[in-house]
Amino acid sequence: MNIFSAFELITPRLKLRFVEPGDAAALFHLFSDPEALRYWSSTPWLHLAQAADNIEQTLKAYRDGTALRLAMVLPDGELIGTVTLYDFDRRNHRCQVGYMLARPHWGQRYMQEALPALIAHGFGALELHRIEADIHPDNIASERILEGLHFQREGLLRERWFVGGEISDSVIYGLLRKDWEAAIHPAR
Ligand SMILES: CC(C)(COP(=O)(O)OP(=O)(O)OC[C@H]1O[C@@H](n2cnc3c(N)ncnc32)[C@H](O)[C@@H]1OP(=O)(O)O)[C@@H](O)C(=O)NCCC(=O)NCCS
């Protein structure tokens, strides 16, 4: 039995749905783009087989509850990105968030639409208390998105990632459920 059973989240322009085996080509397109992977924690994919492996891991994570990854899909069915809650620490009601949007769709505020839906699910159905993000210090667009969603910058961890022969620091952001609720219900 899956710990995460398939569901969808609907936003004004997007459907967020579970990843499927048929998404391999779209995911390969996303994760083989060196520009999109510039601040990512692994190098761009080179082979379609990496997409199939990644989907296998995603399906396994639905089963064992280690990650909840949703595909961002346009009304015409095009998969343009993914948003993920992962590294669940259930005893402490916390996890991490990650996200990836295809470059042709940058600059249209799609992530500012997808992430709130996932975060609301995290603080609601998943009963999270805290969501963390670990981003590259030069990833300005990602910082802006997190700050717009009321994440607070909490610290800098030095030389945390080796990617493609380069070492990089991590900026750590955190969002508490009470801050999220205060932001979405400011009158309360
Ligand atoms: C990070 C990512 C989701 C951003 O999506 P995007 O559509 O390009 O973001 P936007 O264009 O909406 O930019 C977000 C904000 O940053 C601002 N911004 C973007 N680049 C900027 C720059 N170089 N300098 C200053 N501000 C910048 C935008 O003006 C926008 O601000 P606003 O919300 O006040 O309008 C997307 O670039 C992506 O998927 N990148 C690859 C994966 C990744 O890095 N994921 C994050 C790590 S977990």
Side-chain angles (χ1 to χ4, degrees), residues 8-12 14-16 117:
E8 293 178 353
L9 301 175
I10 304 297
T11 72
L14 296 167
K15 179 167 78 178
L16 306 182

Side-chain angles (χ1 to χ4, degrees), residues 35-40 97-102 105-112 134-136 139-142 144-145:
E35 184 64 24
L37 276 276
R38 189 162 159 219
Y39 302 126
W40 201 250
V97 65
Y99 36 91
M100 170 66 71
L101 181 64
H105 301 280
W106 288 5
Q108 296 169 65
R109 302 184 66 81
Y110 279 114
M111 210 42 91
Q112 291 90 328
D134 165 345
I135 69 167
H136 191 291
N139 198 345
I140 310 280
S142 194
R144 292 281 164 91
I145 287 172

Side-chain angles (χ1 to χ4, degrees), residues 1-9 16-20 55-71 83-90 93-96 118-128 131:
M1 195 187 82
N2 285 4
I3 291 196
F4 293 130
S5 300
F7 65 89
E8 293 178 353
L9 301 175
L16 306 182
R17 61 148 172 84
F18 274 38
V19 169
E20 301 162 355
I55 290 173
E56 264 311 305
Q57 288 168 29
T58 299
L59 301 183
K60 179 174 181 297
Y62 295 145
R63 291 194 294 273
D64 63 22
T66 50
L68 176 60
R69 184 186 200 196
L70 298 178
V83 288
T84 308
L85 296 176
Y86 66 102
D87 267 359
F88 285 93
D89 179 336
R90 288 194 162 71
H93 295 260
R94 66 173 138 83
C95 71
Q96 302 245 356
L118 183 67
I119 290 168
H121 182 78
F123 287 137
L126 302 185
E127 299 181 352
L128 292 170
I131 299 175

Side-chain angles (χ1 to χ4, degrees), residues 86 95-96 130-137 143 146-147 151-158 160-161 169-175:
Y86 66 102
C95 71
Q96 302 245 356
R130 173 184 163 84
I131 299 175
E132 301 173 354
D134 165 345
I135 69 167
H136 191 291
E143 279 190 12
L146 292 172
E147 286 167 7
F151 280 75
Q152 287 191 23
R153 185 185 172 114
E154 297 179 337
L156 180 86
L157 302 184
R158 295 174 305 152
R160 191 153 186 266
W161 295 101
D169 298 340
S170 287
V171 180
I172 303 300
Y173 278 86
L175 176 66

